[in-house]
Amino acid sequence: MRVIRARLIGRCFFAFCLLIISYCGAMLCLFDTQAISDSIFFASLLSRRGTVIVQGGDDADPDVRIKREHVKSMMKHAWNGYVQYAWGANELCPISRKPHNDSIYGSARLGATIVDSLDTLFIMGMMDEFDAARDWVENDMNLDEANVELSLFEVNIRLVGGLLAAFALTGDNLFRQRAEEVAKRMLPAFDNVTSIPNGRINLSAKTSSGGWPVLAEWGTLSLEFNYLSDVTGSGVYRSHIRRIYETTINLMVNMDGLYPVNIRMRKNKTKYDVDDTRIHWNNFDKYTLGAAGDSFYEYLLKSWLQSGKTDDKSLALYLQAVNGVFKKLVRTSKKSNLTFLVEIEYEREQTVMGHLTCFAGGLFALGGKTLGLERHVELGAALTSTCHQSYVRTPTKLGPETFEFTDDLEAEADKNGAKYYILRPEVIESYFILWRLTHDPRYRLWGWEAVEAIEKHCRIPTGGYSGLRNVDSAKPDHDDVQQSFFLAETLKYLYLLFSDDSLIALDQWVFNTEAHPLPIKGV
Ligand code: DMJ
């Protein structure tokens, strides 16, 4: 009798377990399993990164806190101008008080300022503004309306990067879904055996065109695409990056680790063929850490950092490149011993540096500190000091787009040179990185000088900030454009410069080239 009862209890228990298992199975089918795995992923992210600080981060020094509040008020002024006169458009024309929909975005109404600003608003704790931006992304961002040719590079660094950073900071799936939606429409550009994409895409038609983009364009995808694969579970993004670096770049000839900005590859009907006789260029091309080359080098170091220091191939390429920089590009000015980088074009040295090149100060310092290479840190600090000179030698205290080193000029624009300042971030970016790495007070001092100069010359009373056509003219000659990267980068780096080190800590986050922070794996 006892045996029968035991068997009966056993069978009932077995049936009960089956019932529970099938109930759970049914519930799993009912629920969005992707959402479950997302929340597990995000929870594990948070628990592993228990001390992660993405808001707050007040400095202990009251004077620094006042400065940071001031930067936040600049963000409010920039944002309010955009909201009032250009909401939903890409950028603001602050003087004519109308939308700016030209330049890199063509006529597409992509709310570039909104997407580029999401993470800055969140980090600064501007939550009403952030909520309005989120609503726009949820309800009004319409890629089908973007029926124009856009730069693949810009779409990636600003839109995909901006949405991914918003997802990383908040865990809100909307941003990840939207980032993937944009990225999926970029994929036709990669449809060739090299995975080096076409330079232009049409997000509405899902087509691409334009042939090979320059080095900095095809070499500035890895941070966003690798993270996309991590958070979507789709390997397609990572596989394109692998193919670019592991297949293509190995076939390329380089000059001491430096790559020419243009590649030439023979086109076979509609596809590109890769073999070692077909990827080539002549040595009369251009080698530069400035426009067209810059963020290719930036992403080599940062891919290694993002991978939790496991992506050794990227690190090797980065180290070879910095050796090439030391060997081929570093020069010292005659009068003031300023360190600068030349460009090599058609085998001739050009002693001109761009504002864009000033990101390199922060990059070399970051790589040097992480790897214990003091020489790299010194080069980074010296370049940043030169970039600071390009600012303080002008009457406006804002730096020109390009500056020269000749017998007569040191870190100054030539009289016929590019004297404009379009609210670019690179000099301030390097101040921020060097401040975090060294705590040398000069970087905060220099950052504050830049704040004062921007306030004096670029602030438009009715809302927003404008670039300048000529930094050498004390009388403001505004270009009437508030670039979206002013809110994404310039103001974010300034805010972080006057924050405690724990806010977006450099050992937890890596900034994409548009200053959108993405998490470092495994910390
Ligand atoms: C930004 O869009 C990015 O920083 C890019 O890498 C270079 N140009 C602008 C800012 O100057």
Side-chain angles (χ1 to χ4, degrees), residues 46 81 152 171 229 268 400 430 477 504:
L46 284 179
L152 176 110
S229 279
N268 174 13
S430 286
D477 184 7
I504 315 293

Side-chain angles (χ1 to χ4, degrees), residues 153-154 157-158 220 294-295 298 355-356 422 424-426 429 485 489 513-515:
F153 164 81
E154 301 290 357
I157 66 168
R158 300 186 195 216
T220 308
D294 46 12
S295 44
E298 178 182 356
H355 194 289
L356 287 166
I422 57 168
R424 284 198 193 280
E426 291 77 14
E429 171 182 349
F485 53 67
E489 300 192 69
T513 195
E514 188 79 358

Side-chain angles (χ1 to χ4, degrees), residues 197-448:
N198 273 328
R200 304 195 70 76
I201 44 167
N202 181 318
L203 292 173
S204 168
K206 300 174 197 157
T207 54
S208 73
S209 59
W212 303 115
V214 295
L215 181 67
E217 293 179 312
W218 63 260
T220 308
L221 294 157
S222 56
L223 294 182
E224 297 80 4
F225 272 37
N226 285 335
Y227 185 56
L228 260 173
S229 279
D230 287 345
V231 297
T232 61
S234 162
V236 64
Y237 307 104
R238 194 191 311 282
S239 76
H240 283 307
I241 298 303
R242 281 217 176 107
R243 189 137 19 127
I244 290 173
Y245 285 92
E246 289 180 7
T247 311
T248 313
I249 210 164
N250 285 339
L251 297 177
M252 295 180 170
V253 182
N254 61 74
M255 180 184 78
D256 291 305
L258 300 172
Y259 292 81
V261 296
N262 293 298
I263 49 172
R264 321 227 180 275
M265 220 178 285
R266 202 169 299 161
K267 201 174 180 183
N268 174 13
K269 294 187 183 151
T270 56
K271 299 276 183 190
Y272 291 94
D273 273 349
V274 184
D275 65 47
D276 54 359
T277 61
R278 285 180 176 165
I279 295 185
H280 67 282
W281 55 82
N282 58 47
N283 286 326
F284 300 105
D285 209 319
K286 184 172 181 177
Y287 298 83
T288 178
L289 266 278
D294 46 12
S295 44
F296 165 81
Y297 300 102
E298 178 182 356
Y299 273 36
L300 294 179
L301 177 73
K302 291 186 174 179
S303 293
W304 174 70
L305 292 172
Q306 182 194 36
S307 72
K309 302 184 187 165
T310 59
D311 180 1
D312 295 335
K313 287 187 178 130
S314 292
L315 176 63
L317 291 173
Y318 174 75
L319 289 172
Q320 285 162 18
V322 184
N323 284 339
V325 169
F326 275 112
K327 198 164 164 192
K328 301 280 187 190
L329 305 184
V330 179
R331 298 286 178 276
T332 309
S333 72
K334 289 181 192 150
K335 278 191 258 171
S336 319
N337 277 332
L338 300 179
T339 302
F340 64 99
L341 298 181
V342 296
E343 302 189 330
I344 297 179
E345 196 168 6
Y346 301 107
E347 290 188 330
R348 292 183 57 183
E349 238 178 71
Q350 310 289 339
T351 55
V352 62
M353 231 176 114
H355 194 289
L356 287 166
T357 316
C358 289
F359 86 100
L363 182 76
F364 294 152
L366 181 63
K369 270 279 178 209
T370 314
L371 293 156
L373 298 168
E374 200 44 41
R375 194 169 165 238
H376 291 209
V377 181
E378 282 164 15
L379 176 62
L383 289 172
T384 303
S385 178
T386 301
C387 291
H388 173 244
Q389 284 300 310
S390 80
Y391 272 48
V392 294
R393 290 177 184 223
T394 71
T396 54
K397 309 293 173 219
L398 291 165
E401 179 71 3
T402 58
F403 44 95
E404 317 260 333
F405 298 86
T406 64
D407 288 343
D408 307 316
L409 298 172
E410 287 191 320
E412 288 154 86
D414 178 65
K415 63 177 184 318
N416 302 316
K419 294 187 169 199
Y420 58 88
Y421 168 69
I422 57 168
L423 305 169
R424 284 198 193 280
E426 291 77 14
V427 176
I428 289 164
E429 171 182 349
S430 286
Y431 295 165
F432 158 66
I433 300 284
L434 272 144
W435 161 255
R436 283 277 172 103
L437 299 175
T438 65
H439 285 171
D440 183 331
R442 80 175 70 180
Y443 298 112
R444 278 185 165 169
L445 214 68
W446 294 351
W448 189 248

